[in-house]
């Protein structure tokens, strides 16, 4: 049975509780025979999400008329994120960076990996995403994990990375 590592973007969509594909993927896990212990996150994911939410909160406070999500909604996202991370931590489902993951991350830092944003513009994958990918490649106990992330052509440039797109599972 495969084990899975949620990308930060998928986690972000899950904590929004807006019935986005990643949330629906997680809700459908039981029906697919996946147990909670089969689904993990990288140690960088909580920090990445918390940073994004802090940035969104600061922007919403400074520009309340132009933000997609008002301050109370972002504060609810922060609460939901904290509950999500506490649950993963309580059940040892946050994979820490060890020497093998750090070494693989170092290899990925030397690779140019390009994804596209929602507007179709290319961007270089940030270091935190490379840590997630390294975590998926090394896995836990030397058993690689399937990286749950939205489709990016750049995934194919990473040798041995198994990816599951939540959109594919939800639409089947």
């Amino acid at each position: 049975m495969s084990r899975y590592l949620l990308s930060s973007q998928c986690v972000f969509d899950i904590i929004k509780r807006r019935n986005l594909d990643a949330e629906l993927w997680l809700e459908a896990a039981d029906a697919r025979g996946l147990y909670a212990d089969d689904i993990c996150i990288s140690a960088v994911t909580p920090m990445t999400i918390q940073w994004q939410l802090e940035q969104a909160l600061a922007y919403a406070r400074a520009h309340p008329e132009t933000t997609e999500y008002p301050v109370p909604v972002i504060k609810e996202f922060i609460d939901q994120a904290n509950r999500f991370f506490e649950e993963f931590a309580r059940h040892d489902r946050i994979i820490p960076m060890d020497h093998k993951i750090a070494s693989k991350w170092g290899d990925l830092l030397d690779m140019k990996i390009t994804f596209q944003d929602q507007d179709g513009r290319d961007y270089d994958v940030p270091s935190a995403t490379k840590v997630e990918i390294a975590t998926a490649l090394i896995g836990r106990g030397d058993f690689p994990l399937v990286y749950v992330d939205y489709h990016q052509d750049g995934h194919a440039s990473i040798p041995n990375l198994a990816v599951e797109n939540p959109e594919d599972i939800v639409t089947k």
Side-chain angles (χ1 to χ4, degrees):
M1 162 99 21
S2 295
R3 295 187 74 186
Y4 298 82
L5 183 87
L6 296 171
S7 72
S8 287
Q9 184 58 56
C10 286
V11 170
F12 195 63
D13 286 354
I14 291 166
I15 64 162
K16 288 179 184 176
R17 296 184 170 240
R18 301 284 195 257
N19 289 320
L20 299 172
D21 289 328
E23 182 182 5
L24 299 173
W25 180 93
L26 186 60
E27 289 174 0
D30 277 348
R32 296 177 52 216
L34 302 180
Y35 299 101
D37 288 346
D38 296 328
I39 303 167
C40 301
I41 60 175
S42 167
V44 299
T45 300
M47 292 172 282
T48 300
I49 299 294
Q50 289 168 345
W51 181 84
Q52 288 175 325
L53 289 170
E54 287 169 9
Q55 296 298 309
L57 185 60
Y59 184 85
R61 285 181 171 143
H63 305 92
E65 70 288 346
T66 63
T67 186
E68 180 180 357
Y69 298 112
V71 169
V73 172
I74 296 171
K75 286 183 175 181
E76 180 58 28
F77 290 165
I78 291 169
D79 290 342
Q80 290 168 193
N82 289 335
R83 286 190 297 273
F84 183 89
F85 297 135
E86 287 169 8
E87 180 71 16
F88 271 67
R90 188 178 309 109
H91 297 293
D92 193 32
R93 294 169 43 206
I94 299 177
I95 300 177
M97 182 184 280
D98 62 14
H99 180 71
K100 289 180 182 178
I101 292 170
S103 179
K104 180 57 75 176
W105 174 56
D107 295 342
L108 294 173
L109 285 175
D110 292 336
M111 287 181 65
K112 181 169 179 65
I113 305 170
T114 305
F115 284 179
Q116 287 188 337
D117 66 16
Q118 293 174 333
D119 298 323
R121 292 182 299 244
D122 288 346
Y123 67 92
D124 290 337
V125 171
S127 179
T129 301
K130 289 182 177 183
V131 172
E132 290 178 5
I133 292 168
T135 303
L137 289 167
I138 298 300
R140 194 172 247 174
D142 291 328
F143 292 104
L145 304 170
V146 176
Y147 189 50
V148 180
D149 194 21
Y150 297 104
H151 174 77
Q152 290 284 347
D153 291 340
H155 288 137
S157 68
I158 305 162
N160 303 315
L161 180 66
V163 180
E164 185 165 293
N165 181 351
E167 295 168 324
D168 293 344
I169 301 302
V170 171
T171 58
K172 285 185 179 178

